[in-house]
Amino acid sequence: MKIVVLGAGAWGTAVALSAAQHPAGHQVTLWARSTPQASSMQALHENRHYLPGIALPPSLQLASGDALTACTQADLIIVATPMAALRGMLTQLQGSAAPVAWLCKGFEAAHGAHSAAGLLAHEVCAQVAPALRAGVLSGPSFALEVARNQPTALVAASEHAAVRDTLVAAFHSPSVRVYANEDIVGVEVGGAVKNVLAIATGIVDGMDLGLNARAALITRGLAEMTRLGVALGARPDTFMGLSGLGDLVLTATGSLSRNRNVGLQLATGKPLPQILHELGHVAEGVYTAPTVWQRAQALGVSMPITEAVVAVLEGRLGPAEAVGALMRREAKAEG
């Protein structure tokens, strides 16, 4: 299978590495937006900026320049850009005959006439490339561990059976299990909201509030995630799977989580711009949180933890004030 991965960040590189080492002998091309970055990877045989110390296999081809040229005769195209760049990339790929899957997790920031409350990735695709056979590859996965061939389980979600089957054939291997799922709405909501909840968990842990607080936050966060997903048309059981509970637990508790790290730093009182500058990578939860909250408000869905995270990110509440506001909420029945 000829696979092209568009985007040479940490996750795009890890996915390309996994496919290139697949027992089926896939022909894999990793495309970088930056020509100097592609040249550096070619010379050093590693992506030193995003995955230092991980060797790129000789079979992995590197490309830059025109993305459509790199996708010529591809059997599968993987879009590994951040959420903010997805619309532009799908617009370029709208005539593709090959299946397309994205890796980004989030809601597109609301802007212009696209949507008053922001869109999930499949909704963006429906606007700009409705004829594409498309889907998402998601689930609990740190790029570094995938690049090291450590055991990982992912979800291939699409309304098209052929897309799900292609993703399974491309990535299911001795180190990566890929489960198919028709519920693309639920898989995308889980991937988006868990980043926001990971910031909240980082704040709780950074304030040293204890394991009871962490468990409560993750559990009630899962309830928020499920409420929003069901309101958008997802199946409730999806959120008990890899792209819901699995991804939430990983991102909220794992030391490699960028979003959790943002929360840890916010708890110290460090300004958000400084945190993001020092992070050096995209933390999708920071950009997704306001849009998740806007979408929830438009649907009449209660998401108090998300609301508190947005207030902290916008500087309207300090971390301690946000926790206090959550704890003072009126008593209610669970469920």
Side-chain angles (χ1 to χ4, degrees):
M1 185 185 303
K2 182 177 180 181
I3 302 169
V4 178
V5 179
L6 300 174
W11 189 216
T13 302
V15 166
L17 280 167
S18 181
Q21 298 173 77
H22 195 280
H26 301 315
Q27 179 185 339
V28 182
T29 298
L30 176 60
W31 176 87
R33 179 177 56 84
S34 163
T35 298
Q37 183 192 7
S39 299
S40 172
M41 289 191 293
Q42 189 75 57
L44 300 172
H45 306 291
E46 69 177 71
N47 189 337
R48 186 159 292 180
H49 181 69
Y50 291 104
L51 284 177
I54 302 295
L56 302 179
S59 61
L60 179 62
Q61 301 178 42
L62 299 169
S64 61
D66 181 52
L68 291 181
T69 300
C71 294
T72 302
Q73 297 183 334
D75 299 305
L76 173 64
I77 301 169
I78 301 295
V79 179
T81 64
M83 190 69 193
L86 181 66
R87 178 177 292 271
M89 190 60 75
L90 291 180
T91 300
Q92 292 185 61
L93 296 172
Q94 61 183 303
S96 172
V100 174
W102 43 82
L103 306 179
C104 52
K105 299 175 179 179
F107 281 78
E108 182 184 57
H111 59 278
H114 299 324
S115 171
L119 300 176
L120 288 163
H122 76 277
E123 295 173 316
V124 174
C125 185
Q127 278 194 352
V128 301
L132 276 184
R133 292 177 298 140
V136 60
L137 188 66
S138 192
S141 46
F142 287 140
L144 182 60
E145 293 189 1
V146 171
R148 289 173 172 168
N149 292 316
Q150 293 177 269
T152 301
L154 301 174
V155 180
S158 174
E159 63 177 346
H160 305 283
V163 175
R164 300 193 299 269
D165 293 344
T166 301
L167 287 168
V168 171
F171 297 106
H172 193 85
S173 71
S175 62
V176 177
R177 291 189 59 81
V178 182
Y179 293 82
N181 193 326
E182 297 178 6
D183 184 14
I184 190 170
V185 178
V187 169
E188 289 190 338
V189 170
V193 178
K194 60 94 182 181
N195 285 327
V196 181
L197 299 174
I199 294 174
T201 311
I203 291 172
V204 165
D205 286 347
M207 294 174 65
D208 200 22
L209 297 182
L211 300 179
N212 293 350
R214 180 202 284 180
L217 191 146
I218 290 174
T219 306
R220 296 310 302 166
L222 180 62
E224 285 194 15
M225 177 192 293
T226 304
R227 284 197 297 269
L228 178 61
V230 169
L232 288 167
R235 296 198 315 257
D237 60 288
T238 297
F239 299 100
M240 295 307 296
L242 290 165
S243 60
L245 178 62
D247 211 356
L248 173 58
V249 169
L250 178 76
T251 312
T253 65
S255 60
L256 295 176
S257 169
R258 300 171 192 169
N259 293 285
R260 169 180 163 77
N261 186 51
V262 168
L264 289 169
Q265 297 299 314
L266 285 170
T268 69
K270 188 178 291 186
L272 181 60
Q274 182 182 347
I275 294 170
L276 298 179
H277 175 74
E278 293 174 355
L279 188 64
H281 296 263
V282 174
E284 288 281 16
V286 173
Y287 308 102
T288 296
T291 310
V292 170
W293 175 232
Q294 290 166 9
R295 197 74 187 261
Q297 285 182 299
L299 292 166
V301 174
S302 173
M303 298 188 74
I305 298 173
T306 299
E307 181 181 7
V309 170
V310 172
V312 172
L313 292 174
E314 294 180 350
R316 292 184 282 108
L317 287 179
E321 293 173 306
V323 171
L326 287 172
M327 293 302 295
R328 288 191 299 271
R329 293 181 69 242
E330 193 173 302
K332 58 181 288 187
E334 186 179 37

